[in-house]
Amino acid sequence: MASLSLQPKFSLHPNNSILHFHPQNKPQIIFFTRKVKIKTKTKCSSIDPQQQQQKQRESFTRKKKSVTETEKGVDPVGFLTKLGITHKAFAQFLRERYKSLKDLKAEIFTRHLNLQEMASGFEILGTHRHKEHRVDYMDWAPGARYCALVGDFNGWSPTTNAAREGLYGHDDYGYWFIILEDKLREGEEPDELYFQQYNYVDDYDKGDSGVTIDEVFQRANDEYWEPGEDRFIKNRFELPAKLYERLFGPNGPQTIEELGEIPDAETRYKAHKELHKDDPPSNLPPFDVIDNGKEYDIFNVVVDPAWQEKFRNKKPPLAYWTETRKGRKAWLKKYSPAIPHGSKYKVYFNTPDGPLERVPAWATFIQPDAEGKQAYAIHWEPPPEYTYKWKHSAIKPPKSLRIYECHVGISGSEPKISSFNDFTEKVLPHVKRAGYNAIQLIGIVEHKDYFTVGYRVTNFFAVSSRYGTPEDFKRLVDEAHGLGLLVFLDIVHSYSAADEMVGLSRFDGSNDCYFHTGKRGHHKYWGTRMFKYGDLDVLHFLLSNLNWWISEYKIDGFHFHSLASMLYTHNGFASFTGDLEEYCNQYVDNDAVKYLILANEILHALHPNIITIAEDATFYPGLCEPTSQGGLGFDYHVNLSASEMWLSLLKNTPDHEWSMSKITSTLLGNKNYADKMLVYAENHNQSISGGQSLAEILLSQGNDKAPQSNELLLRGSSLLKMIKLITFTIGGRGYLNFMGNEFGHPKRVEFPMPSNNFSFLLANRCWDLLEKEGVYQDLFRFDKDMMKLDKNEKVLSRGLPNIHHVKDTNMVISYLRGPLLFVFNFHPTDSYERYCIGVDEAGEYQVILNTDERRYGGQGIVKEEQYLQRTISKRVDGLRNCIKVSLPSRTAQVGVQVKPDFENMKMVFTLERSSILIRRTYHE
């Protein structure tokens, strides 16, 4: 239900970028500064100038101290100092950006109470059911001259439900407001109470209680008010009449000329007290107005402290007012909804270029018509008994992320678009069984063209209707939480679809409503529209959109898609050398950077457990640094180079020419932020963007052919397992896998489009392969055990790996991560019987994962009795000890140091000692 006022949970001073919270269990007091003008009489004594100057100095000192305290801990160039980077131009750029961000926040606070209100536009914009038997509609269209809501509920009439400029429907910022009153049913009488309210949700099964308003008010007077307290409420003119009579007598003057000279207040007050000194006690408020001898023409109100405390402790009579509300049944009996649930509607604008019909920007459910050419907003207001009831609470974020990337539409086996319910019932259990702890959904937000994979968004607040309803999506998220899975959403705020009939392009007839004009308003290569991030109303829209998905659907995090497109006016299509000058020159969109900072500040303040992931091919400096230290505030960043490297090696480089140094340096990425890195060997881009998956390259001759020989099958399977394992374990705290690649899905993804005659042949997943013995089942078994390795040994949440052995000639890589030892032999032909690897701790190492095991489709060359190896006291790789392992070609092993069981050793020692004592006693 919409609310025109929001209870602030935090405040943000314009001169500070740190959020300050108020405890939720304490009353919040908001102080508004006002200019107070004090009028004095001419005979009033003047204020001492020295005292006035002293007060001004104290006020300035307090203000300066307040600003200093609020800015404590904020350093616009903090992350540069931490990393030891000195670059004057970039440091100056960060300082200027910080000042600009403060100015932006100050401008926001001229229109919004706080940043929570800035990010909660969905509570009043769009269509909302009001408690006073009506529907309110609000939208932003500054270029329109006339606005109306048209739909099948009013015969698509542009005049029935309209708001014209200047006629209580259009404010100075371009927001249109339309009220649609529910229709009174035939034979029903209008409500007695003008502001009669109905509880549509909580009391949906209740009708009219039968209690009249007069009865409620009478009971309130009898139970709530004490004798005499409601006297002037019942007789509103009694008080001014008494006051007039007290001043001028029963036959007082009727004109100013008859009024004459009025005695001063003190004289009148003393005369009044003398007149009423013998009056009996009264329950009326004992207010006395006196001046305490001051010469100012201002009189203090002196109140009895006991009565004042009693009045403050008296709770407002809201319970009686709430009792006047009626239930949903009473509403449906008296009224028919102005817009019934499921109604199609659009917004109609009259613009300088003529009339337009648009899908409302804040619509929450969109459906195309039967021919698929037009789309309509659907008024989504299901009866409470049919709305989804949440069953599971939110999940605390784990220390490491094992993300399963999904697309709902292609998640089924049949050649059709799968639904939310299909995904919930079939795919979610598989994800849980596979060992992942999060899912990342792509293509969820409404988009017109299915083949765009959801990246050309048209309606930012709506789930795609091709998969189901909003209630179906809520069930999906809730069931995922019930399985212990986080739910991330791939969000596209870097650009928008250029469609004018469905999307935001030329929404109000102007070219600069949500987007830039001219060339800057269009993506350099993709033809999409670029947002105007410096506009407060655009920020209001985008920030509210992020908050909407969390508030309405309980999303746990966002993957921000293609940040390079928004961070630079060249959309990231430029060569980068790594010089910091490239990140602060004229091509950087500073407004976009400030939007991302605001988004992270607000999201993490409103929802402390939220996770934000940045996908930026240029790796903008400070991407994962705190906003208070000059960063952008993301929790993770994506290593985009890893998948490109693997694809290049497999397609362009012979196996024996692979560089081990290049592999390790690429997988580690930026060492300063390696612990905040999300890495993957492949994601949906390789499969969907006209390319091939790694399994398709390694295991098949062509798109639809089976593996041609056991030798090539062994090579492909071995390399696929090694690529996944090293990518999974050498990087940061996050790993991502695209749906189906965990078992080496043999086919690419190709969405229905004109070039393939809209075929669904490749727009699905071959889940049946998991039911057959063979390479796909072996690969899935390995991937499952790889996820289990992190779950049991906390691989990803440990510190960064110590990569101590990288040999390009032998094609061997080895590194330590905590107590775990990882060894990889990428050589296509050479095997090593007793290969020496350095380790730090002496003792025994046990192999816990071997890519060459038969159950993973390997040859099983290394036997289980060889899994336990003892270290040798010999300095290798700069470490004090070493271990000699058997390394067949194209295999990898994970070993863990075996810790001595001191409890068992103590027990054995105690038993041995007891045995010796017994033997001695026996002999004696």
Side-chain angles (χ1 to χ4, degrees):
M1 215 55 66
S3 175
L4 294 177
S5 63
L6 300 172
Q7 182 181 3
K9 293 182 181 177
F10 62 89
S11 62
L12 185 58
H13 193 274
N15 295 325
N16 182 25
S17 65
I18 298 181
L19 297 164
H20 298 276
F21 296 91
H22 301 296
Q24 296 295 318
N25 58 346
K26 294 184 180 181
Q28 301 175 23
I29 304 175
I30 303 174
F31 296 96
F32 296 93
T33 56
R34 304 178 186 273
K35 293 183 179 179
V36 180
K37 186 176 181 181
I38 301 178
K39 296 173 64 177
T40 63
K41 295 181 179 180
T42 55
K43 64 179 181 179
C44 172
S45 62
S46 60
I47 300 175
D48 187 359
Q50 293 183 355
Q51 293 180 357
Q52 190 173 6
Q53 291 178 4
Q54 179 65 22
K55 289 182 179 180
Q56 290 177 352
R57 284 195 296 268
E58 291 176 358
S59 175
F60 176 79
T61 304
R62 287 195 302 267
K63 184 177 180 182
K64 184 176 180 181
K65 183 179 178 181
S66 175
V67 172
T68 305
E69 288 176 354
T70 55
E71 292 188 353
K72 188 177 180 181
V74 178
D75 185 358
V77 295
F79 81 90
L80 293 182
T81 306
K82 183 185 76 170
L83 300 176
I85 299 174
T86 55
H87 194 283
K88 290 185 178 180
F90 190 70
Q92 182 62 25
F93 174 79
L94 292 180
R95 292 189 181 95
E96 291 176 356
R97 188 180 75 191
Y98 174 70
K99 295 178 182 178
S100 177
L101 186 62
K102 288 201 298 183
D103 294 338
L104 175 62
K105 290 174 182 176
E107 186 180 359
I108 289 173
F109 296 141
T110 61
R111 291 176 54 182
H112 299 275
L113 180 64
N114 51 33
L115 292 183
Q116 180 192 9
E117 184 182 278
M118 176 73 170
S120 301
F122 55 85
E123 295 194 1
I124 57 174
L125 281 111
T127 55
H128 293 275
R129 166 62 58 185
H130 195 280
K131 291 183 179 180
E132 294 175 8
H133 52 83
R134 73 180 201 229
V135 171
D136 296 340
Y137 173 77
M138 186 184 290
D139 217 328
W140 181 59
R145 295 177 176 175
Y146 176 92
C147 177
L149 212 60
V150 298
D152 52 14
F153 60 91
N154 63 8
W156 300 95
S157 169
T159 58
T160 304
N161 303 108
R164 299 179 183 177
E165 186 174 359
L167 295 176
Y168 187 62
H170 182 265
D171 67 5
D172 295 338
Y173 301 108
Y175 287 90
W176 294 86
F177 184 65
I178 301 174
I179 295 177
L180 298 93
E181 296 282 355
D182 292 338
K183 300 171 185 177
L184 195 66
R185 296 187 185 273
E186 187 177 353
E188 293 290 336
E189 294 292 330
D191 288 310
E192 258 185 275
L193 190 62
Y194 180 74
F195 294 106
Q196 177 65 59
Q197 294 187 350
Y198 291 87
N199 197 331
Y200 307 100
V201 180
D202 298 333
D203 297 331
Y204 64 88
D205 58 341
K206 295 180 182 178
D208 193 340
S209 62
V211 180
T212 65
I213 297 166
D214 293 334
E215 291 175 351
V216 173
F217 285 172
Q218 182 62 43
R219 188 148 46 84
N221 292 335
D222 296 340
E223 299 174 0
Y224 182 79
W225 300 108
E226 295 184 12
E229 281 186 335
D230 62 338
R231 173 180 172 186
F232 296 116
I233 296 176
K234 293 179 177 179
N235 306 284
R236 287 179 289 175
F237 296 105
E238 181 181 353
L239 183 62
K242 288 285 185 183
L243 180 61
Y244 183 84
E245 183 179 348
R246 180 181 300 170
L247 289 174
F248 308 112
N251 299 313
Q254 302 297 316
T255 64
I256 296 179
E257 288 76 12
E258 297 176 3
L259 182 61
E261 186 177 356
I262 303 176
D264 64 277
E266 185 176 0
T267 303
R268 297 197 309 270
Y269 172 71
K270 289 180 179 179
H272 168 71
K273 295 295 288 184
E274 180 65 25
L275 182 64
H276 295 279
K277 62 181 180 180
D278 297 326
D279 289 355
S282 172
N283 287 323
L284 295 178
F287 292 125
D288 288 341
V289 182
I290 59 175
D291 65 353
N292 288 333
K294 292 184 179 179
E295 297 183 0
Y296 304 108
D297 192 16
I298 299 174
F299 300 94
N300 298 324
V301 178
V302 180
V303 185
D304 181 11
W307 184 92
Q308 188 177 33
E309 186 66 22
K310 177 182 175 182
F311 181 80
R312 287 179 176 176
N313 292 334
K314 197 175 187 70
K315 295 181 180 179
L318 295 178
Y320 299 98
W321 177 252
T322 305
E323 196 173 339
T324 64
R325 293 180 182 175
K326 300 179 181 180
R328 184 180 180 87
K329 285 187 177 181
W331 167 62
L332 290 175
K333 179 184 178 183
K334 186 179 285 286
Y335 295 96
S336 60
I339 309 181
H341 167 62
S343 298
K344 295 181 180 179
Y345 70 97
K346 283 188 174 184
V347 59
Y348 175 93
F349 295 125
N350 193 357
T351 71
D353 295 332
L356 298 173
E357 283 190 6
R358 293 285 187 260
V359 174
W362 298 73
T364 59
F365 193 43
I366 314 294
Q367 272 189 346
D369 66 358
E371 298 179 359
K373 294 180 181 179
Q374 288 193 42
Y376 300 93
I378 303 297
H379 181 63
W380 193 255
E381 189 188 354
E385 56 266 36
Y386 294 108
T387 57
Y388 185 77
K389 306 297 187 300
W390 295 91
K391 297 180 293 185
H392 305 286
S393 57
I395 305 171
K396 186 179 179 181
K399 293 183 178 180
S400 63
L401 293 178
R402 304 185 298 274
I403 302 175
Y404 193 84
E405 190 182 35
C406 321
H407 187 284
V408 172
I410 65 171
S411 63
S413 300
E414 301 177 7
K416 65 173 186 177
I417 299 177
S418 293
S419 67
F420 288 134
N421 291 332
D422 294 335
F423 185 91
T424 302
E425 295 164 4
K426 298 177 182 178
V427 180
L428 284 182
H430 168 79
V431 177
K432 178 65 176 179
R433 187 170 63 253
Y436 292 84
N437 60 11
I439 60 172
Q440 180 171 301
L441 299 168
I442 61 176
I444 292 297
V445 187
E446 188 61 84
H447 49 287
K448 179 183 177 183
D449 300 316
Y450 186 48
F451 65 84
T452 63
V453 200
Y455 286 119
R456 295 190 180 183
V457 176
T458 52
N459 310 99
F460 285 79
F461 287 84
V463 295
S464 181
S465 60
R466 55 177 57 90
Y467 311 133
T469 67
E471 308 308 309
D472 295 336
F473 184 60
K474 289 177 183 178
R475 176 174 174 253
L476 187 156
V477 176
D478 197 27
E479 291 297 330
H481 287 165
L483 293 172
L485 301 172
L486 297 175
V487 181
F488 298 150
L489 196 66
D490 201 323
I491 200 77
V492 186
H493 280 186
S494 47
Y495 52 82
S496 176
D499 190 280
E500 296 183 8
M501 296 301 296
V502 186
L504 299 176
S505 185
R506 298 183 63 87
F507 179 71
D508 62 351
S510 64
N511 197 33
D512 61 347
C513 183
Y514 286 93
F515 310 105
H516 289 289
T517 57
K519 291 184 178 179
R520 191 177 176 186
H522 297 266
H523 194 283
K524 192 174 182 180
Y525 294 102
W526 300 342
T528 49
R529 297 304 307 270
M530 306 306 296
F531 283 107
K532 189 167 51 175
Y533 300 102
D535 190 289
L536 287 190
D537 297 291
V538 176
L539 288 178
H540 184 44
F541 177 85
L542 294 174
L543 293 171
S544 298
N545 183 240
L546 295 174
N547 195 16
W548 158 260
W549 289 103
I550 304 172
S551 302
E552 182 70 11
Y553 295 108
K554 302 187 184 301
I555 296 297
D556 301 296
F558 296 103
H559 179 114
F560 284 77
H561 172 75
S562 188
L563 293 187
S565 298
M566 64 186 289
L567 290 174
Y568 312 96
T569 55
H570 52 60
N571 305 131
F573 286 86
S575 58
F576 284 82
T577 62
D579 187 354
L580 287 179
E581 182 70 29
E582 298 168 340
Y583 301 102
C584 61
N585 57 24
Q586 70 273 22
Y587 300 110
V588 176
D589 189 341
N590 204 19
D591 291 332
V593 178
K594 288 186 290 184
Y595 160 67
L596 293 175
I597 294 173
L598 273 178
N600 277 299
E601 280 189 356
I602 293 174
L603 287 177
H604 287 94
L606 292 178
H607 314 281
N609 289 331
I610 202 70
I611 294 175
T612 57
I613 304 169
E615 179 189 301
D616 177 22
T618 67
F619 194 73
Y620 193 85
L623 203 61
C624 293
E625 292 287 352
T627 57
S628 61
Q629 301 300 304
L632 272 63
F634 286 96
D635 299 302
Y636 291 86
H637 72 90
V638 180
N639 184 343
L640 297 171
S641 303
S643 60
E644 296 175 0
M645 176 198 67
W646 291 123
L647 196 62
S648 175
L649 288 175
L650 291 174
K651 284 190 171 183
N652 306 320
T653 307
D655 293 0
H656 63 278
E657 294 182 8
W658 287 15
S659 170
M660 302 296 104
S661 302
K662 179 182 178 181
I663 290 175
T664 53
S665 62
T666 304
L667 291 177
L668 274 179
N670 190 321
K671 292 184 179 180
N672 294 323
Y673 302 107
D675 62 323
K676 296 185 177 181
M677 182 174 62
L678 175 69
V679 68
Y680 51 79
E682 55 181 336
N683 73 338
H684 69 274
N685 284 331
Q686 291 174 225
S687 299
I688 292 175
S689 304
Q692 294 175 299
S693 66
L694 299 185
E696 189 175 4
I697 297 171
L698 288 168
L699 301 179
S700 302
Q701 293 180 10
N703 294 338
D704 302 313
K705 296 183 180 181
Q708 56 181 335
S709 67
N710 290 334
E711 184 180 348
L712 289 178
L713 179 63
L714 180 62
R715 170 189 175 267
S717 174
S718 300
L719 284 178
L720 198 56
K721 288 179 289 186
M722 293 181 70
I723 288 172
K724 285 186 175 184
L725 183 60
I726 193 172
T727 306
F728 179 66
T729 57
I730 202 175
R733 292 186 292 119
Y735 174 79
L736 181 143
N737 169 75
F738 180 59
M739 178 176 58
N741 289 345
E742 70 277 9
F743 62 87
H745 197 277
K747 297 180 181 179
R748 67 184 185 279
V749 178
E750 188 175 282
F751 282 81
M753 60 184 72
S755 61
N756 61 14
N757 295 322
F758 297 98
S759 171
F760 282 87
L761 184 63
L762 297 176
N764 50 36
R765 300 280 87 180
C766 302
W767 300 110
D768 57 311
L769 295 174
L770 288 174
E771 301 174 1
K772 306 173 184 176
E773 288 288 341
V775 62
Y776 303 109
Q777 202 174 82
D778 296 337
L779 289 173
F780 176 66
R781 193 178 292 116
F782 173 77
D783 192 90
K784 185 177 177 180
D785 286 350
M786 193 169 69
M787 297 301 112
K788 192 182 296 183
L789 177 69
D790 176 60
K791 183 178 180 181
N792 296 337
E793 302 294 337
K794 308 293 187 292
V795 179
L796 301 185
S797 57
R798 295 185 183 275
L800 295 178
N802 174 20
I803 305 176
H804 62 283
H805 188 99
V806 180
K807 301 294 183 181
D808 286 321
T809 54
N810 297 335
M811 299 185 70
V812 175
I813 298 173
S814 180
Y815 50 88
L816 292 161
R817 197 164 185 177
L820 301 171
L821 174 66
F822 299 87
V823 186
F824 296 82
N825 178 14
F826 279 94
H827 205 287
T829 56
D830 291 355
S831 299
Y832 308 103
E833 183 60 33
R834 291 179 61 80
Y835 196 88
C836 199
I837 297 291
V839 293
D840 195 26
E841 298 291 336
E844 293 182 329
Y845 281 80
Q846 174 75 38
V847 174
I848 57 176
L849 186 64
N850 179 12
T851 62
D852 193 45
E853 287 190 15
R854 292 190 178 275
R855 62 196 187 103
Y856 302 145
Q859 301 179 80
I861 296 175
V862 179
K863 307 301 180 184
E864 287 192 13
E865 54 267 21
Q866 299 175 269
Y867 278 6
L868 186 65
Q869 295 290 335
R870 184 177 292 276
T871 59
I872 302 172
S873 181
K874 179 182 178 182
R875 196 168 188 84
V876 176
D877 299 326
L879 301 176
R880 294 175 297 177
N881 302 283
C882 71
I883 187 172
K884 292 186 177 181
V885 296
S886 177
L887 285 180
S889 63
R890 290 199 185 108
T891 63
Q893 299 172 22
V894 182
V896 63
Q897 186 179 9
V898 180
K899 295 292 183 180
D901 193 339
F902 293 104
E903 290 296 328
N904 287 337
M905 291 174 62
K906 183 178 178 180
M907 185 179 296
V908 171
F909 176 76
T910 303
L911 290 174
E912 289 180 351
R913 186 177 180 184
S914 300
S915 177
I916 293 172
L917 289 174
I918 291 172
R919 284 199 299 271
R920 283 182 180 176
T921 305
Y922 175 77
H923 287 295
E924 290 175 359

